[in-house]
Amino acid sequence: LQVHTFRGPHWCEYCANFMWGLIAQGVKCADCGLNVHKQCSKMVPNDCKPDLKHVKKVYSCDLTTLVKAHFTKRPMVVDMCIREIESRGLNSEGLYRVSGFSDLIEDVKMAFDRDGEKADISVNMYEDINIITGALKLYFRDLPIPLITYDAYPKFIESAKTADPDEQLEILHEALKLLPPAHCETLRYLMAHLKRVTLHEKENLMSAENLGIVFGPTLMRAPELDAMAALNDIRYQRLVVEMLIKNEDILF
C-alpha cells in the first residue's frame, strides 16, 4: 500500500466514507488497486488478488504478485525460457556461464514486459541460446525480493556452513519451508532444470559446482548492508545452489 493522491472525490473501499483533503488523501495498493484511508489500511488483510491492469511489467515485479495476477504456479518467463533452453541448448558449451549480447537480452526483457506470454523467444528471433539464458538470469537478478528470500537467507547459509552432509540436508529442508509458496515452487522447477543441465556435462561442461558459481549470487542476496559479510557469503551461496541441484530429488 502506497500513499496516493486521488483526483476528484474518492471514497474508502473499506469503510465507505469520503476521503478528505486535496493531496495524499489515502493509500492505494500497487497490486490490486484497492483505495482506502491510511487508518483503514491497518484493518485490510494482506491477501489481495492482484489485478493484471495494475501489474504493468514482468521483470522487477514481486514474484508472488506476478503469479497471483496471472493465475500461474510460476512466472511465465521462467517456464518459457527453460522450455526454450531445454529444446535447443542443453549441449551448448558453457551454458549459463557464457554471456549473451546485453542489448539483445534487454530486448527479450522488453518483449516479456510488453507482450507477456506472447513474447517470441524462438530460434527465429534469437539464434544464440545465451541470449535466453541471459534473460532468465536477469529476471532473477531484477526481483525486488530474491528467489531465496531475505527471511530465509540465514538458514540457507547455515546449511552451507555445516560440515555433516545429513545435517546439511536437514537444515536445507527447514530453510525451504521458510520460502513463500511461489518462491519455493519456482526454485524447485529451476533446480530440476539445472539438474538436467548437469546430465549433459560432457557436452556443455557445466557441473553443479559451475552452475552454483553462476546462480549463487543470482538467486541469493545478503540482507545486511555490510559489504565484507556479503563478500564472505559468496562461497556459501555457491555451495547452497550446488547442494540444491545435487539433492533436488530428495529436497523437493
Side-chain angles (χ1 to χ4, degrees):
L1 289 161
Q2 293 164 350
V3 175
H4 191 77
T5 297
F6 298 98
R7 291 178 188 171
H10 244 83
W11 283 263
C12 173
E13 291 176 42
Y14 182 78
C15 71
N17 288 319
F18 187 68
M19 289 191 187
W20 296 98
L22 295 171
I23 58 162
Q25 306 97 320
V27 293
K28 185 184 184 84
C29 178
D31 293 342
C32 69
L34 180 81
N35 308 315
V36 289
H37 287 116
K38 281 180 209 162
Q39 63 270 28
C40 289
S41 69
K42 299 181 185 100
M43 273 82 79
V44 176
N46 189 21
D47 62 349
C48 71
K49 295 285 178 279
D51 188 330
L52 262 181
K53 68 173 179 281
H54 297 289
V55 180
K56 301 279 191 245
K57 53 191 178 178
V58 171
Y59 279 68
S60 307
C61 175
D62 176 70
L63 193 149
T64 301
T65 296
L66 190 69
V67 299
K68 277 189 176 180
H70 288 272
F71 298 102
T72 55
K73 292 203 304 192
R74 298 175 298 272
M76 93 292 257
V77 59
V78 175
D79 279 17
M80 287 174 66
C81 287
I82 285 178
R83 244 192 335 264
E84 198 62 35
I85 293 158
E86 294 201 352
S87 71
R88 60 184 172 101
L90 286 176
N91 293 331
S92 179
E93 191 175 318
L95 190 70
Y96 285 113
R97 196 183 65 234
V98 176
S99 298
F101 190 47
S102 58
D103 284 5
L104 290 177
I105 292 169
E106 202 60 35
D107 273 359
V108 174
K109 172 184 172 176
M110 281 161 56
F112 275 119
D113 280 344
R114 186 183 61 242
D115 306 324
E117 57 198 24
K118 292 189 177 75
D120 183 2
I121 58 167
S122 67
V123 66
N124 303 327
M125 280 297 287
Y126 304 101
E127 196 179 338
D128 181 5
I129 198 64
N130 300 313
I131 306 297
I132 311 303
T133 59
L136 182 61
K137 288 187 292 183
L138 180 62
Y139 171 74
F140 288 121
R141 279 201 303 274
D142 275 3
L143 283 174
I145 298 170
L147 187 61
I148 290 174
T149 60
Y150 295 123
D151 289 344
Y153 183 92
K155 200 77 178 162
F156 277 96
I157 293 294
E158 186 193 330
S159 72
K161 289 179 175 177
T162 305
D164 179 68
D166 292 334
E167 209 180 318
Q168 271 183 346
L169 288 179
E170 219 169 282
I171 298 168
L172 269 181
H173 260 299
E174 292 303 310
L176 288 167
K177 288 177 192 166
L178 300 174
L179 293 177
H183 283 250
C184 193
E185 167 56 24
T186 305
L187 185 64
R188 180 200 67 77
Y189 191 74
L190 177 65
M191 291 306 125
H193 161 65
L194 295 180
K195 184 76 166 273
R196 289 191 288 275
V197 170
T198 65
L199 298 178
H200 296 257
E201 190 189 335
K202 275 189 181 171
E203 294 78 31
N204 61 36
L205 309 180
M206 294 305 286
S207 61
E209 186 182 352
N210 289 340
L211 289 166
I213 292 165
V214 173
F215 276 96
T218 304
L219 304 182
M220 303 178 76
R221 294 200 289 278
E224 64 273 349
L225 297 169
D226 180 357
M228 274 314 292
L231 256 170
N232 288 334
D233 278 0
I234 288 175
R235 62 191 167 130
Y236 298 118
Q237 292 170 354
R238 170 181 68 74
L239 275 171
V240 166
V241 175
E242 190 182 332
M243 288 189 297
L244 286 169
I245 295 170
K246 285 180 173 172
N247 301 290
E248 168 268 330
D249 52 339
I250 303 165
L251 289 167
F252 295 100

